Amino acid sequence: MKNLDYGIIGNCKSAALVSKTGSIDWCCLPHFNSAGVFAKLLDEKIGGSFSVDVTDDYTINQEYLWQTNIVSTVYDNGEHAFQLIDFMPRYLREDGSYYSPPDIIRFFRLLKGKPVLKVKYDPRLDFSREKTYSDNHRNYIKSFTQDGTYDSLFLYSSFDLDKILNYTEITLEENAYMLLGYHEKLITQNLDRSYLKFQRTKMYWMNWSEKTTKYSKYNNEILRSALVLKALSFEKSGAVLAAATTSLPETLGEERNWDYRFCWIRDASMVIKVMAGLGHTKSASDFLQFIINLIPHKDEKIQIMYGINGEKDLTEHILTHLDGYKGSKPVRTGNAAYIQKQNDIYGILMEVIYQQFIQFETSLENSEELWTIVRGIVKIVEEHWMKPDKGIWELRTEDRHFVFSKLLCWVAVDRAIKIGEILRKGINEENWIALRTEIHEDIYKNGWNDEIGAYTQSYGSKDLDASTLLMEQYGFINARDPRFVSTVKATEKELCQDGLMYRYKNQDDFGKPTSSFTICSFWFIDSLFKIGERKKAKEMFDQLLSYSNHLGLFSEDIDFETKRLLGNFPQAYSHLALIETAANFSRGLLPEEDLWTNN
């Protein structure tokens, strides 16, 4: 495929990507961060996939079932037709817990005629490090490894199992199912049981969607993005993944390939803030508990990212035997960025804690734990805000005094003061107020470049950075402030190309960036809207939405020339920014008479 034309299915334990022709080309089991069982996405020859193949006379159309994370693919040649429904089971049990096993169910619904198809079942366990064997055990196909780390997989089906193993034609004369499970099933599997799981899972997603805040404009796009963010949430711990994949390159043929199957404090905090705004308060409280569990000691430092179970060691490894997406090497597991120092995470985390206090009820015990964390964060900021760091974009070379990092240190102290006002009935820490003023004055003086007429990427630099567009959103500056308007205009001139934004243009560890960072395009559109250029912002937003894939999903990056989706997929960052921008259009933050311009 020439694009990331995939739909994500998942159950808040793991996820899989289904191609627009019905091939599962990516899945890690039993959890998001496990080794791949299907990874054709990263190596077309040995990665492994699970496809449903028909002859060329069939047209194939794919969509999500309404308000769900269930993918429907319809195959139709005029005389014969069937629907393939792909999902991972998730629904509420009678005891209040969720049934969400490491399973994929593929339900075949006969629509007309007698369609003929083939099933190519080619699992490659442990990212294909060792050979995977598959045997017919009468009731199921067992796939397993013999060398290296042992692993296994079980496939149940109403189809003839030998026809699946031998890639033989199958005539669909009635509804059928296939169930792929990481564990052997103790209860006999059949069509009725799979159909019941389908109906229960569909009802779960529809109920979840119904609880999502509705908007007058772009509601479908907002809901689809919310469903993506939910699919990237790990139920067990409350963590939120940056994306479901590893090593999808920011630019084809380059080395900017990272493992995003982890929880970045920054990304997850932004996601949770958005989800709470959409009415999903449990996600916010679960993530806060995840953070509380990570910081058991008052002197423990916060990492920029963790494993989905709170793992702190995310050592990076290279899978040299895999070719990479479209030949883009290396393929990585783990992420060396976990050891980096990024001072912006404190402000973003503090913002989420602040939102928790002003929007939701908290118990005394929870409030006391959070207050301890708040005080600890301010102490860290006080000690480190003036020091250089790696910044939001995780540059792996020299540390710099990034404006965004300083901005978020200011946010951390500002929100801590406001939290203190809530909890302590207006009693403020005077030294915190002084610290907030000190950081604000430092950014105002050193982050601004008179020659460029903008806040720049770092102190003393002439380079521009899309992250400075968030200064208004975090309350550091007003949208009407001439400095902010000038920064938006200068950033557009320098970083905008054909309606898409660079993060920055200056050289980094791997040279000059060559693709657009999707979240930055949303940030720019949002900034245009806020300074009054509504018509232009709306046109750019509609154009950007047209670059999503056929199911409305975005990856991390977009190629400037071809508009091809690049980078890890689907990307939480991109979808949270879509929601924020679309919600602003729907809310209409500025009254018409306040617009500075009519364009």
Side-chain angles (χ1 to χ4, degrees):
M1 294 195 302
K2 294 183 179 180
N3 201 3
L4 290 172
D5 286 328
Y6 290 92
I8 183 173
I9 59 174
N11 61 1
C12 303
K13 293 286 186 66
S14 185
L17 297 182
V18 185
S19 80
K20 64 180 178 181
T21 58
S23 177
I24 297 177
D25 293 347
W26 177 260
C27 183
C28 299
L29 292 175
H31 297 131
F32 291 108
N33 60 346
S34 302
V37 298
F38 301 116
K40 183 180 179 181
L41 201 58
L42 297 180
D43 194 306
E44 294 189 8
K45 293 181 179 178
I46 67 169
S49 62
F50 187 5
S51 65
V52 175
D53 300 336
V54 294
T55 51
D56 292 339
D57 59 326
Y58 279 82
T59 60
I60 305 175
N61 292 295
Q62 190 175 73
E63 63 182 357
Y64 275 108
L65 295 187
W66 181 246
Q67 298 188 341
T68 75
N69 275 322
I70 300 173
V71 170
S72 164
T73 311
V74 174
Y75 305 75
D76 190 339
N77 71 355
E79 183 180 357
H80 309 285
F82 67 96
Q83 178 187 28
L84 172 61
I85 298 171
D86 284 310
F87 66 99
M88 297 185 75
R90 179 173 174 80
Y91 52 84
L92 203 60
R93 294 188 179 104
E94 290 184 3
D95 64 2
S97 64
Y98 284 101
Y99 178 75
S100 50
D103 294 352
I104 297 173
I105 293 179
R106 317 200 76 180
F107 186 82
F108 294 76
R109 175 177 282 158
L110 177 63
L111 299 180
K112 61 181 176 181
K114 294 184 178 182
V116 176
L117 57 95
K118 290 183 178 180
V119 174
K120 185 174 184 180
Y121 179 61
D122 184 27
R124 301 294 181 96
L125 294 163
D126 195 21
F127 281 123
S128 197
R129 283 187 178 95
E130 301 88 21
K131 182 177 179 180
T132 297
Y133 300 87
S134 294
D135 294 336
N136 186 342
H137 285 238
R138 292 189 301 172
N139 294 325
Y140 55 82
I141 294 171
K142 181 180 180 180
S143 300
F144 57 96
T145 55
Q146 290 185 328
D147 302 318
T149 303
Y150 176 78
D151 208 353
S152 61
L153 206 59
F154 303 86
L155 180 69
Y156 301 82
S157 180
S158 53
F159 291 140
D160 183 287
L161 298 181
D162 284 330
K163 288 186 176 182
I164 295 175
L165 281 174
N166 297 321
Y167 192 55
T168 303
E169 285 188 348
I170 296 171
T171 301
L172 188 65
E173 299 182 357
E174 59 183 356
N175 293 344
Y177 83 98
M178 293 190 290
L179 184 154
L180 174 71
Y182 186 74
H183 304 296
E184 182 180 353
K185 296 298 176 185
L186 300 178
I187 299 175
T188 301
Q189 300 301 302
N190 55 44
L191 181 65
D192 290 345
R193 186 176 295 277
S194 288
Y195 184 72
L196 180 59
K197 290 177 182 178
F198 161 58
Q199 293 293 349
R200 285 175 170 170
T201 300
K202 182 173 71 170
M203 188 59 63
Y204 164 79
W205 286 117
M206 292 182 71
N207 285 334
W208 188 89
S209 296
E210 182 61 28
K211 296 174 184 176
T212 305
T213 302
K214 305 298 186 294
Y215 291 85
S216 60
K217 300 176 183 176
Y218 301 108
N219 190 66
N220 291 342
E221 290 83 357
I222 290 172
L223 179 56
R224 176 49 53 201
S225 292
L227 284 162
V228 170
L229 297 181
K230 179 62 176 176
L232 293 174
S233 303
F234 186 53
E235 174 194 334
K236 181 180 177 182
S237 67
V240 181
L241 283 75
T245 58
T246 179
S247 302
L248 296 186
E250 295 179 19
T251 300
L252 293 180
E254 291 191 3
E255 296 181 35
R256 302 171 195 265
N257 314 327
W258 319 112
D259 191 346
Y260 275 14
R261 299 171 299 153
F262 301 111
C263 181
W264 271 257
I265 297 297
R266 179 197 308 110
D267 301 38
S269 297
M270 290 180 173
V271 168
I272 292 304
K273 182 182 176 184
V274 167
M275 293 292 273
L278 292 175
H280 294 290
T281 57
K282 188 176 185 301
S283 296
S285 60
D286 287 349
F287 177 68
L288 276 174
Q289 192 59 52
F290 175 70
I291 296 300
I292 291 170
N293 293 340
L294 286 174
I295 314 173
H297 306 297
K298 294 181 180 180
D299 64 343
E300 186 157 347
K301 300 298 184 290
I302 303 173
Q303 293 183 187
I304 68 165
M305 58 190 292
Y306 295 87
I308 59 174
N309 286 300
E311 299 93 337
K312 297 177 182 178
D313 184 352
L314 309 178
T315 302
E316 194 167 288
H317 301 281
I318 306 297
L319 303 184
T320 57
H321 65 290
L322 295 179
D323 248 359
Y325 178 77
K326 306 301 179 185
S328 300
K329 293 184 176 183
V331 173
R332 309 175 196 258
T333 61
N335 196 308
Y338 80 97
I339 62 174
Q340 289 188 0
K341 180 178 68 176
Q342 295 175 20
N343 294 333
D344 62 293
I345 65 169
Y346 306 117
I348 293 169
L349 177 57
M350 195 78 83
E351 172 76 1
V352 174
I353 296 174
Y354 174 59
Q355 293 298 325
Q356 175 77 7
F357 277 115
I358 64 175
Q359 293 184 43
F360 315 118
E361 293 183 4
T362 55
S363 66
L364 179 61
E365 178 184 2
N366 183 263
S367 296
E368 290 178 347
E369 285 183 280
L370 290 175
W371 180 238
T372 296
I373 292 174
V374 166
R375 290 169 49 239
I377 290 175
V378 175
K379 186 173 184 295
I380 294 171
V381 169
E382 188 173 17
E383 294 172 354
H384 295 283
W385 77 266
M386 73 294 292
K387 299 177 183 178
D389 69 344
K390 297 296 185 184
I392 183 176
W393 307 126
E394 300 180 353
L395 302 184
R396 296 193 173 195
T397 51
E398 62 176 324
D399 290 2
R400 302 178 194 172
H401 291 280
F402 289 102
V403 171
F404 185 77
S405 296
K406 308 294 186 189
L407 167 69
L408 269 297
C409 286
W410 175 86
V411 170
V413 182
D414 178 73
R415 303 311 191 262
I417 291 169
K418 292 175 179 176
I419 292 169
E421 291 171 347
I422 294 171
L423 293 179
R424 303 174 72 192
K425 299 180 180 179
I427 301 174
N428 279 314
E429 299 280 355
E430 292 299 327
N431 60 318
W432 289 7
I433 294 175
L435 177 61
R436 178 176 64 181
T437 301
E438 181 183 1
I439 299 173
H440 191 283
E441 291 176 350
D442 190 73
I443 297 170
Y444 191 85
K445 176 183 177 181
N446 297 308
W448 177 261
N449 186 305
D450 275 323
E451 182 181 346
I452 303 298
Y455 285 101
T456 55
Q457 183 181 69
S458 57
Y459 286 5
S461 168
K462 293 183 179 180
D463 298 316
L464 294 177
D465 191 306
S467 64
T468 61
L469 298 174
L470 297 180
M471 299 180 85
E472 184 275 340
Q473 183 182 122
Y474 282 113
F476 182 88
I477 193 170
N478 191 282
R480 300 185 180 200
D481 191 303
R483 278 195 170 196
F484 182 69
V485 176
S486 181
T487 297
V488 174
K489 299 288 189 181
T491 303
E492 176 182 18
K493 183 178 179 181
E494 178 68 20
L495 300 183
C496 188
Q497 179 177 315
D498 193 23
L500 296 173
M501 294 289 290
Y502 286 93
R503 284 175 288 180
Y504 49 83
K505 274 191 174 180
N506 47 298
Q507 296 267 336
D508 61 17
D509 317 11
F510 302 99
K512 177 183 173 181
T514 57
S515 59
S516 167
F517 207 63
T518 307
I519 193 173
C520 296
S521 297
F522 285 117
W523 287 347
F524 174 65
I525 292 167
D526 194 47
S527 298
L528 276 182
F529 179 88
K530 288 177 177 177
I531 67 171
E533 298 194 18
R534 281 185 168 185
K535 182 178 179 182
K536 182 177 178 179
K538 173 86 163 47
E539 290 172 351
M540 291 185 69
F541 185 64
D542 289 338
Q543 188 64 48
L544 181 54
L545 290 181
S546 73
Y547 301 147
S548 72
N549 74 5
H550 65 300
L551 296 177
L553 305 189
F554 282 97
S555 61
E556 180 183 39
D557 303 88
I558 299 174
D559 183 85
F560 281 110
E561 183 177 344
T562 65
K563 308 302 186 289
R564 176 180 185 152
L565 299 181
L566 296 167
N568 282 307
F569 176 90
Q571 179 82 356
Y573 243 2
S574 300
H575 284 281
L576 75 88
L578 185 160
I579 292 171
E580 287 184 320
T581 307
N584 283 341
F585 281 115
S586 192
R587 285 195 296 263
L589 293 181
L590 298 175
E592 292 293 335
E593 58 271 20
D594 272 354
L595 297 185
W596 285 20
T597 66
N598 292 320
N599 57 352

